[in-house]
Amino acid sequence: MEKMEKDFDVFEEFGSNVFNDYTMRQRLPKDVYKKLKQTIENGKELDPDIAGVVAHEMKEWAIEKGATHYTHWFQPMTGVTAEKHDAFINPTADGRVIMEFSGKELIKGEPDASSFPSGGLRATFEARGYTAWDATSPAFVKKTPSGCTLCIPTAFCSYTGEALDKKTPLLRSMEALDKQAMRIVRLFGNKTAKKVTTSVGPEQEYFIVDKKKYLQRKDLVYTGRTLFGGMPPKGQELDDHYFGVIKERIASYMKELNEECWKLGISAKTQHNEVAPAQHELAPIYASNNVATDHNQLIMEMMKKVADRHGLTCLLHEKPFEGINGSGKHNNWSMVTDEGVNLLEPGKTPHENIQFLLILTAILRAVDLHADLLRLSAASAGNDHRLGANEAPPAIISVYLGEQLEDVLEQLADTGEATHSIQGEKLDSGVNTLPDFQKDATDRNRTSPFAFTGNKFEFRMLGSTASIANPNIILNTIVADVLCEFADELEKAENFDMAVHDLIKKYITKHRRIVFNGNGYSDEWVKEAERRGLPNLRTTVDAIPSLVTEKSIKMFERHGVLSAVELESRAEIKYEEYAKVINIEALSTSNIAKKQILPAVMKYEADLASGANEIKAAGVEPSVLLAQIKDIDEQLVLLKNGIVALDEIIAKAAALEGDVKKQARFYCDEVIPAMDAVREPADKLEFLVDKKAWPFPSYGDLLFGV
Ligand code: ADP
Ligand code: MG
């Protein structure tokens, strides 16, 4: 039979651009491979002697793939990845070159990267920063039509060893969790497991618009979101886009995106249309926390790159359009031993699974004690548009457990004893020809920021743009901290069973206030949460201080994840970043209003006026025209005044330079409302003038234009 022609052979291509375990085993001498594996799997320090051999093979492999350059790929505090390319070439005495890559070059880099945000950690005059090879995330080649580069995942630290990136504390937090979770696992009699890692599967939402139209929207180009624009007659109200049939042009984009991901060893698995028009989602299969974080960065990069090749633009901003849903990222998180046991797997009868109940109790305690930090981990100027709006969980942290676990906890809290677990029933569809099947014991909840979903927690507050490093650093550390507290107590207990029992009962009773199974989007919940004393940190600026409370500093230092100095610098960077983002938005608002909207509307109004005069000359009263001119002029005055006021406020904000905290607060409280005051009349004007007179594509053009 003739072989069906395939344009993409997934068996051949999956991971083909990755120096993965398979390739390493094939290419590295046995003893070198073994030693490297020890570093990767057991966190053993890398033997410097083997680095040269690994580097050589890595280079040979990369050159076969077409690479001419290598880069230490890192994740500075900007939230995006950074790379500085060096060619492999080394000149020889006879005027030619050889391709070289040493062990030293693999292990350590020194990007002259003084312009990355460091929050005061690194003055420009002492700008040394080092990148160090992170062997736990595989190297890969990035191929583009313009070249091919070997990328080496690295951590980025200052001369004095402070973390300047997101990877370093992430790796530290994973080690902290490993250490504490292992103590618990041992206490429950497991003598063979060697390691506990966190698994993460991030679901990524995004918008796709036509590139030509995108380029005509200066607001999208400068800020990633629309600063102007009224909703077209149709939005998302019919729910006809969600899970709808994927359009051809989008489908071919998704196909290529999947292929690019697969080549990079990213197991892109699920894709569908999301709630809003032009909105989509991609979810890979979960991976180790560190690799998942790197992969998510690559997915976002690929989403943009591939879109470009299709004449499309991918918008990753949390709120590209007012009036319809924004984009988030769901961080599915669990803890797994190296023997493959998921510590968050309750089993069929969770009430009997004491280890699970203890870990669950620890997570509830961690989330309740550090709700402020979790909230902060999802905070950004972009995400402020979502959290609390009617589409994303509120800014209040609560935990959804579902009926079954909630019931077990209730039994434990009430009587100290849990004797049964609610079981899933048969699902009866009422149609004989359809198979009956067993339902899950628990339904899902789509409005909870932190939901238990069977064998993992889903942290649903994250914004679509942000690195998933921050929330996982915090999640890993707060859980490690409580597990440590529990292990301290249990290790010295005389009667282990009794001590576990008491611990669970005590803390479940204490932290039940964090459990909420109802509708997290409702106003009643906001009131109820306040009654329960749960924090509601509405904006990024409200949330940042939680990073540097005494409680936070002590905890991060206890586990060696972040020092007081590092935390201070991170808070500073957050304020700075927030102020900069809003400043760019404010300047763009003013600029677009002044240079595009105002002139276009004034011209249109003048045209109407001359039309009115002509009609009058013909002896007819131009009543409709005059009424229209009046409406337009009313808004035009508001627009003009709004622009003047905004410019004044922007100047005031700039004058606060030097005090980042005060400045960020000012942007939040004063500049944003001033921007809104410009947008409001502008959006009204869009519907008062001829479409042809409007200076850029409308929401309708963008959302329904692919
Ligand atoms: P949904 O929440 O939309 O139902 P899925 O159940 O398909 O989605 O899972 C969403 C994400 O969670 C996927 O990336 C999946 O790989 C990941 N996931 C599944 N199990 C785990 C786990 N034990 N730990 C971490 N992530 C997981
Ligand atoms: Mg989900």
Side-chain angles (χ1 to χ4, degrees), residues 521-572:
Y521 292 2
S522 68
D523 292 336
E524 292 79 67
W525 168 233
V526 177
K527 280 184 217 121
E528 165 68 11
E530 195 181 335
R531 203 186 51 75
R532 293 189 191 186
L534 301 177
N536 185 2
L537 302 166
R538 284 185 175 80
T539 68
T540 297
V541 181
D542 297 325
I544 297 173
S546 55
L547 203 54
V548 286
T549 58
E550 203 187 323
K551 163 183 83 104
S552 163
I553 293 174
K554 276 196 174 143
M555 179 191 63
F556 280 114
E557 291 204 322
R558 207 155 36 236
H559 301 281
V561 174
L562 285 164
S563 67
V565 177
E566 286 169 330
L567 286 163
E568 294 283 355
S569 82
R570 267 152 219 261
E572 178 122 348

Short mmCIF file of all heavy atoms in Angstrom, two decimals, residues 521-572:
data_model
loop_
_atom_site.label_atom_id
_atom_site.label_comp_id
_atom_site.label_asym_id
_atom_site.label_seq_id
_atom_site.Cartn_x
_atom_site.Cartn_y
_atom_site.Cartn_z
N TYR A 521 -17.38 34.70 41.73
CA TYR A 521 -17.56 35.93 40.97
C TYR A 521 -18.67 36.82 41.55
O TYR A 521 -18.92 37.90 41.06
CB TYR A 521 -17.94 35.62 39.51
CG TYR A 521 -16.84 34.97 38.69
CD1 TYR A 521 -15.61 34.65 39.24
CD2 TYR A 521 -17.05 34.70 37.34
CE1 TYR A 521 -14.62 34.05 38.49
CE2 TYR A 521 -16.06 34.10 36.57
CZ TYR A 521 -14.85 33.79 37.15
OH TYR A 521 -13.88 33.20 36.38
N SER A 522 -19.36 36.31 42.59
CA SER A 522 -20.52 37.05 43.07
C SER A 522 -20.12 38.14 44.07
O SER A 522 -19.10 38.05 44.74
CB SER A 522 -21.50 36.10 43.75
OG SER A 522 -20.93 35.60 44.94
N ASP A 523 -20.98 39.16 44.16
CA ASP A 523 -20.74 40.25 45.10
C ASP A 523 -20.87 39.77 46.55
O ASP A 523 -20.19 40.27 47.44
CB ASP A 523 -21.73 41.39 44.87
CG ASP A 523 -21.49 42.06 43.53
OD1 ASP A 523 -20.35 41.98 43.02
OD2 ASP A 523 -22.43 42.66 42.98
N GLU A 524 -21.76 38.77 46.74
CA GLU A 524 -21.96 38.25 48.11
C GLU A 524 -20.66 37.69 48.66
O GLU A 524 -20.37 37.80 49.83
CB GLU A 524 -23.01 37.13 48.15
CG GLU A 524 -24.44 37.55 47.84
CD GLU A 524 -24.67 37.70 46.35
OE1 GLU A 524 -24.62 36.67 45.65
OE2 GLU A 524 -24.89 38.84 45.89
N TRP A 525 -19.87 37.06 47.74
CA TRP A 525 -18.62 36.47 48.21
C TRP A 525 -17.65 37.54 48.70
O TRP A 525 -16.97 37.37 49.70
CB TRP A 525 -17.99 35.60 47.11
CG TRP A 525 -16.57 35.19 47.40
CD1 TRP A 525 -15.50 35.37 46.59
CD2 TRP A 525 -16.06 34.56 48.59
NE1 TRP A 525 -14.35 34.90 47.19
CE2 TRP A 525 -14.67 34.39 48.43
CE3 TRP A 525 -16.64 34.13 49.79
CZ2 TRP A 525 -13.86 33.82 49.39
CZ3 TRP A 525 -15.81 33.56 50.76
CH2 TRP A 525 -14.45 33.39 50.55
N VAL A 526 -17.63 38.67 48.02
CA VAL A 526 -16.75 39.75 48.44
C VAL A 526 -17.09 40.16 49.87
O VAL A 526 -16.20 40.34 50.72
CB VAL A 526 -16.86 40.95 47.47
CG1 VAL A 526 -16.00 42.11 47.95
CG2 VAL A 526 -16.43 40.54 46.06
N LYS A 527 -18.39 40.24 50.15
CA LYS A 527 -18.82 40.63 51.51
C LYS A 527 -18.49 39.53 52.51
O LYS A 527 -17.98 39.77 53.60
CB LYS A 527 -20.33 40.91 51.51
CG LYS A 527 -20.63 42.30 50.97
CD LYS A 527 -22.11 42.62 51.07
CE LYS A 527 -22.56 43.42 49.85
NZ LYS A 527 -23.63 42.77 49.08
N GLU A 528 -18.81 38.29 52.10
CA GLU A 528 -18.57 37.14 52.97
C GLU A 528 -17.07 37.01 53.30
O GLU A 528 -16.69 36.74 54.44
CB GLU A 528 -19.11 35.88 52.27
CG GLU A 528 -18.67 34.54 52.82
CD GLU A 528 -19.22 34.23 54.21
OE1 GLU A 528 -20.12 34.97 54.66
OE2 GLU A 528 -18.71 33.28 54.83
N ALA A 529 -16.25 37.22 52.28
CA ALA A 529 -14.80 37.10 52.48
C ALA A 529 -14.32 38.15 53.47
O ALA A 529 -13.45 37.89 54.30
CB ALA A 529 -14.08 37.25 51.14
N GLU A 530 -14.91 39.32 53.38
CA GLU A 530 -14.52 40.39 54.29
C GLU A 530 -14.89 40.00 55.72
O GLU A 530 -14.11 40.19 56.65
CB GLU A 530 -15.23 41.69 53.88
CG GLU A 530 -14.63 42.90 54.53
CD GLU A 530 -15.33 44.19 54.14
OE1 GLU A 530 -15.95 44.23 53.05
OE2 GLU A 530 -15.28 45.14 54.94
N ARG A 531 -16.08 39.41 55.84
CA ARG A 531 -16.52 38.95 57.16
C ARG A 531 -15.56 37.90 57.72
O ARG A 531 -15.27 37.86 58.90
CB ARG A 531 -17.95 38.37 57.02
CG ARG A 531 -18.75 38.37 58.30
CD ARG A 531 -20.09 37.66 58.14
NE ARG A 531 -19.99 36.33 57.55
CZ ARG A 531 -19.54 35.26 58.19
NH1 ARG A 531 -19.15 35.34 59.43
NH2 ARG A 531 -19.46 34.09 57.56
N ARG A 532 -15.06 37.04 56.82
CA ARG A 532 -14.13 36.00 57.26
C ARG A 532 -12.73 36.54 57.52
O ARG A 532 -11.84 35.81 57.93
CB ARG A 532 -14.01 34.92 56.18
CG ARG A 532 -15.26 34.10 55.96
CD ARG A 532 -14.94 32.94 55.03
NE ARG A 532 -16.14 32.27 54.56
CZ ARG A 532 -16.12 31.16 53.83
NH1 ARG A 532 -14.96 30.62 53.48
NH2 ARG A 532 -17.24 30.59 53.42
N GLY A 533 -12.52 37.79 57.18
CA GLY A 533 -11.20 38.39 57.41
C GLY A 533 -10.17 38.04 56.36
O GLY A 533 -8.96 38.12 56.60
N LEU A 534 -10.63 37.64 55.18
CA LEU A 534 -9.68 37.32 54.11
C LEU A 534 -9.25 38.61 53.41
O LEU A 534 -10.07 39.49 53.16
CB LEU A 534 -10.32 36.37 53.09
CG LEU A 534 -10.80 35.03 53.65
CD1 LEU A 534 -11.49 34.22 52.56
CD2 LEU A 534 -9.64 34.23 54.23
N PRO A 535 -7.97 38.71 53.08
CA PRO A 535 -7.52 39.95 52.44
C PRO A 535 -8.08 40.10 51.02
O PRO A 535 -8.25 39.11 50.32
CB PRO A 535 -5.99 39.80 52.40
CG PRO A 535 -5.72 38.35 52.56
CD PRO A 535 -6.87 37.77 53.32
N ASN A 536 -8.38 41.33 50.65
CA ASN A 536 -8.82 41.63 49.29
C ASN A 536 -7.94 42.76 48.76
O ASN A 536 -8.24 43.93 48.93
CB ASN A 536 -10.30 42.04 49.31
CG ASN A 536 -10.84 42.25 47.90
OD1 ASN A 536 -10.13 42.05 46.91
ND2 ASN A 536 -12.09 42.67 47.79
N LEU A 537 -6.84 42.37 48.15
CA LEU A 537 -5.88 43.35 47.66
C LEU A 537 -6.22 43.64 46.21
O LEU A 537 -5.89 42.87 45.32
CB LEU A 537 -4.45 42.80 47.80
CG LEU A 537 -4.07 42.43 49.24
CD1 LEU A 537 -2.81 41.60 49.29
CD2 LEU A 537 -3.91 43.70 50.08
N ARG A 538 -6.87 44.77 46.00
CA ARG A 538 -7.51 45.01 44.71
C ARG A 538 -6.53 45.27 43.57
O ARG A 538 -6.75 44.83 42.45
CB ARG A 538 -8.50 46.16 44.83
CG ARG A 538 -9.78 45.72 45.54
CD ARG A 538 -10.84 46.81 45.56
NE ARG A 538 -12.07 46.27 46.13
CZ ARG A 538 -12.27 46.14 47.44
NH1 ARG A 538 -11.33 46.52 48.30
NH2 ARG A 538 -13.41 45.64 47.89
N THR A 539 -5.49 46.00 43.85
CA THR A 539 -4.59 46.36 42.75
C THR A 539 -3.17 45.86 43.03
O THR A 539 -2.84 45.48 44.16
CB THR A 539 -4.51 47.89 42.58
OG1 THR A 539 -3.86 48.43 43.72
CG2 THR A 539 -5.89 48.51 42.44
N THR A 540 -2.36 45.91 42.01
CA THR A 540 -0.96 45.52 42.13
C THR A 540 -0.27 46.35 43.22
O THR A 540 0.46 45.82 44.05
CB THR A 540 -0.25 45.74 40.78
OG1 THR A 540 -0.87 44.88 39.83
CG2 THR A 540 1.23 45.42 40.86
N VAL A 541 -0.55 47.64 43.20
CA VAL A 541 0.11 48.52 44.17
C VAL A 541 -0.29 48.15 45.60
O VAL A 541 0.51 48.23 46.53
CB VAL A 541 -0.20 50.01 43.85
CG1 VAL A 541 0.51 50.93 44.82
CG2 VAL A 541 0.22 50.33 42.42
N ASP A 542 -1.53 47.69 45.78
CA ASP A 542 -1.95 47.23 47.11
C ASP A 542 -1.23 45.95 47.50
O ASP A 542 -1.01 45.67 48.68
CB ASP A 542 -3.47 46.92 47.13
CG ASP A 542 -4.31 48.14 46.85
OD1 ASP A 542 -3.91 49.23 47.28
OD2 ASP A 542 -5.38 48.01 46.21
N ALA A 543 -0.90 45.13 46.50
CA ALA A 543 -0.37 43.79 46.79
C ALA A 543 1.15 43.76 47.01
O ALA A 543 1.66 42.90 47.73
CB ALA A 543 -0.74 42.84 45.65
N ILE A 544 1.86 44.70 46.41
CA ILE A 544 3.33 44.62 46.45
C ILE A 544 3.92 44.57 47.87
O ILE A 544 4.83 43.78 48.13
CB ILE A 544 3.98 45.76 45.63
CG1 ILE A 544 3.60 45.63 44.16
CG2 ILE A 544 5.51 45.73 45.76
CD1 ILE A 544 4.04 46.79 43.27
N PRO A 545 3.38 45.36 48.81
CA PRO A 545 4.00 45.34 50.15
C PRO A 545 4.05 43.95 50.79
O PRO A 545 4.90 43.70 51.65
CB PRO A 545 3.09 46.28 50.96
CG PRO A 545 2.48 47.19 49.96
CD PRO A 545 2.31 46.38 48.72
N SER A 546 3.19 43.04 50.39
CA SER A 546 3.18 41.72 51.03
C SER A 546 4.50 40.96 50.81
O SER A 546 4.82 40.05 51.56
CB SER A 546 2.00 40.89 50.53
OG SER A 546 2.03 40.81 49.14
N LEU A 547 5.24 41.38 49.81
CA LEU A 547 6.51 40.71 49.52
C LEU A 547 7.53 40.97 50.63
O LEU A 547 8.39 40.13 50.91
CB LEU A 547 7.06 41.24 48.19
CG LEU A 547 8.03 40.39 47.40
CD1 LEU A 547 7.47 39.01 47.14
CD2 LEU A 547 8.36 41.07 46.07
N VAL A 548 7.44 42.12 51.25
CA VAL A 548 8.48 42.53 52.19
C VAL A 548 7.97 42.69 53.62
O VAL A 548 8.54 43.43 54.42
CB VAL A 548 9.17 43.84 51.71
CG1 VAL A 548 10.08 43.55 50.54
CG2 VAL A 548 8.14 44.90 51.31
N THR A 549 6.90 41.99 53.95
CA THR A 549 6.47 41.97 55.35
C THR A 549 7.49 41.13 56.13
O THR A 549 8.22 40.32 55.55
CB THR A 549 5.09 41.33 55.52
OG1 THR A 549 5.17 40.00 54.99
CG2 THR A 549 4.01 42.10 54.79
N GLU A 550 7.46 41.28 57.44
CA GLU A 550 8.37 40.50 58.27
C GLU A 550 8.10 39.01 58.08
O GLU A 550 9.02 38.19 57.99
CB GLU A 550 8.16 40.92 59.72
CG GLU A 550 9.37 40.62 60.58
CD GLU A 550 9.08 40.89 62.04
OE1 GLU A 550 8.35 41.86 62.34
OE2 GLU A 550 9.58 40.11 62.88
N LYS A 551 6.82 38.68 58.00
CA LYS A 551 6.39 37.29 57.82
C LYS A 551 6.99 36.70 56.54
O LYS A 551 7.50 35.58 56.53
CB LYS A 551 4.85 37.28 57.76
CG LYS A 551 4.22 36.04 57.18
CD LYS A 551 2.70 36.18 57.12
CE LYS A 551 2.24 36.95 55.88
NZ LYS A 551 1.67 36.22 54.79
N SER A 552 6.93 37.48 55.47
CA SER A 552 7.42 37.01 54.18
C SER A 552 8.94 36.85 54.20
O SER A 552 9.49 35.82 53.80
CB SER A 552 6.99 37.99 53.09
OG SER A 552 7.74 37.82 51.93
N ILE A 553 9.62 37.88 54.69
CA ILE A 553 11.09 37.84 54.69
C ILE A 553 11.59 36.65 55.51
O ILE A 553 12.45 35.89 55.07
CB ILE A 553 11.66 39.17 55.24
CG1 ILE A 553 11.35 40.31 54.27
CG2 ILE A 553 13.17 39.06 55.46
CD1 ILE A 553 11.72 41.69 54.75
N LYS A 554 10.99 36.47 56.69
CA LYS A 554 11.42 35.36 57.55
C LYS A 554 11.24 34.02 56.85
O LYS A 554 12.10 33.15 56.90
CB LYS A 554 10.62 35.37 58.85
CG LYS A 554 11.21 36.32 59.86
CD LYS A 554 10.67 36.03 61.25
CE LYS A 554 11.39 36.88 62.28
NZ LYS A 554 10.47 37.32 63.33
N MET A 555 10.10 33.87 56.20
CA MET A 555 9.81 32.58 55.56
C MET A 555 10.77 32.32 54.40
O MET A 555 11.35 31.24 54.30
CB MET A 555 8.38 32.54 55.05
CG MET A 555 8.07 31.22 54.37
SD MET A 555 6.54 31.25 53.49
CE MET A 555 6.89 32.50 52.28
N PHE A 556 10.94 33.30 53.53
CA PHE A 556 11.82 33.08 52.38
C PHE A 556 13.26 32.85 52.83
O PHE A 556 13.98 32.07 52.23
CB PHE A 556 11.75 34.27 51.41
CG PHE A 556 10.55 34.23 50.51
CD1 PHE A 556 9.54 35.18 50.60
CD2 PHE A 556 10.40 33.22 49.56
CE1 PHE A 556 8.43 35.14 49.77
CE2 PHE A 556 9.30 33.17 48.72
CZ PHE A 556 8.31 34.13 48.83
N GLU A 557 13.66 33.53 53.88
CA GLU A 557 15.04 33.35 54.37
C GLU A 557 15.21 31.99 55.03
O GLU A 557 16.24 31.34 54.86
CB GLU A 557 15.42 34.48 55.32
CG GLU A 557 15.57 35.81 54.59
CD GLU A 557 16.47 36.81 55.30
OE1 GLU A 557 16.43 36.86 56.54
OE2 GLU A 557 17.19 37.56 54.59
N ARG A 558 14.17 31.56 55.75
CA ARG A 558 14.23 30.26 56.44
C ARG A 558 14.58 29.14 55.45
O ARG A 558 15.25 28.19 55.77
CB ARG A 558 12.86 29.99 57.06
CG ARG A 558 12.90 29.11 58.26
CD ARG A 558 11.74 29.27 59.24
NE ARG A 558 10.44 29.54 58.70
CZ ARG A 558 9.69 30.60 59.05
NH1 ARG A 558 10.13 31.47 59.93
NH2 ARG A 558 8.50 30.78 58.51
N HIS A 559 14.08 29.26 54.24
CA HIS A 559 14.29 28.17 53.27
C HIS A 559 15.31 28.52 52.20
O HIS A 559 15.46 27.79 51.22
CB HIS A 559 12.95 27.78 52.64
CG HIS A 559 11.96 27.34 53.67
ND1 HIS A 559 11.99 26.09 54.24
CD2 HIS A 559 10.97 28.01 54.30
CE1 HIS A 559 11.04 26.00 55.15
NE2 HIS A 559 10.41 27.15 55.21
N GLY A 560 15.99 29.63 52.41
CA GLY A 560 17.05 30.01 51.48
C GLY A 560 16.54 30.27 50.07
O GLY A 560 17.26 30.04 49.09
N VAL A 561 15.30 30.72 49.95
CA VAL A 561 14.76 30.95 48.60
C VAL A 561 15.05 32.39 48.15
O VAL A 561 15.51 32.60 47.03
CB VAL A 561 13.25 30.66 48.56
CG1 VAL A 561 12.66 31.04 47.21
CG2 VAL A 561 13.01 29.18 48.84
N LEU A 562 14.78 33.35 49.01
CA LEU A 562 15.09 34.74 48.68
C LEU A 562 15.52 35.44 49.97
O LEU A 562 14.91 35.23 51.02
CB LEU A 562 13.87 35.45 48.09
CG LEU A 562 13.49 35.11 46.64
CD1 LEU A 562 12.07 35.59 46.33
CD2 LEU A 562 14.47 35.71 45.65
N SER A 563 16.56 36.26 49.88
CA SER A 563 17.02 37.00 51.06
C SER A 563 16.24 38.29 51.18
O SER A 563 15.54 38.70 50.24
CB SER A 563 18.51 37.31 50.91
OG SER A 563 18.67 38.23 49.85
N ALA A 564 16.39 38.94 52.34
CA ALA A 564 15.70 40.22 52.54
C ALA A 564 16.07 41.20 51.44
O ALA A 564 15.22 41.90 50.89
CB ALA A 564 16.06 40.79 53.91
N VAL A 565 17.35 41.22 51.10
CA VAL A 565 17.82 42.16 50.06
C VAL A 565 17.18 41.82 48.71
O VAL A 565 16.74 42.71 47.98
CB VAL A 565 19.36 42.07 49.94
CG1 VAL A 565 19.86 42.97 48.83
CG2 VAL A 565 20.00 42.44 51.27
N GLU A 566 17.13 40.54 48.41
CA GLU A 566 16.52 40.14 47.13
C GLU A 566 15.03 40.49 47.11
O GLU A 566 14.50 40.92 46.08
CB GLU A 566 16.72 38.64 46.90
CG GLU A 566 18.15 38.27 46.52
CD GLU A 566 18.42 36.77 46.55
OE1 GLU A 566 17.78 36.05 47.34
OE2 GLU A 566 19.27 36.32 45.77
N LEU A 567 14.37 40.29 48.24
CA LEU A 567 12.93 40.61 48.29
C LEU A 567 12.70 42.10 48.13
O LEU A 567 11.82 42.53 47.38
CB LEU A 567 12.33 40.11 49.60
CG LEU A 567 12.14 38.59 49.67
CD1 LEU A 567 11.95 38.14 51.12
CD2 LEU A 567 10.97 38.13 48.81
N GLU A 568 13.51 42.90 48.83
CA GLU A 568 13.39 44.36 48.70
C GLU A 568 13.57 44.76 47.25
O GLU A 568 12.83 45.58 46.71
CB GLU A 568 14.47 45.08 49.53
CG GLU A 568 14.33 44.92 51.04
CD GLU A 568 13.24 45.80 51.65
OE1 GLU A 568 12.65 46.60 50.90
OE2 GLU A 568 12.96 45.66 52.86
N SER A 569 14.54 44.18 46.60
CA SER A 569 14.82 44.58 45.22
C SER A 569 13.66 44.15 44.31
O SER A 569 13.29 44.86 43.38
CB SER A 569 16.13 43.98 44.74
OG SER A 569 15.95 42.65 44.32
N ARG A 570 13.08 43.01 44.61
CA ARG A 570 11.96 42.55 43.79
C ARG A 570 10.74 43.45 43.95
O ARG A 570 10.02 43.74 43.00
CB ARG A 570 11.62 41.09 44.10
CG ARG A 570 12.35 40.15 43.16
CD ARG A 570 12.65 38.78 43.70
NE ARG A 570 13.98 38.42 43.23
CZ ARG A 570 14.23 37.63 42.18
NH1 ARG A 570 13.25 37.05 41.54
NH2 ARG A 570 15.46 37.41 41.78
N ALA A 571 10.51 43.90 45.19
CA ALA A 571 9.39 44.83 45.42
C ALA A 571 9.63 46.11 44.63
O ALA A 571 8.73 46.64 43.97
CB ALA A 571 9.24 45.11 46.91
N GLU A 572 10.84 46.58 44.69
CA GLU A 572 11.22 47.81 43.99
C GLU A 572 10.98 47.65 42.47
O GLU A 572 10.44 48.53 41.82
CB GLU A 572 12.69 48.09 44.28
CG GLU A 572 13.24 49.29 43.58
CD GLU A 572 13.80 50.31 44.56
OE1 GLU A 572 13.54 50.16 45.77
OE2 GLU A 572 14.47 51.24 44.10
#
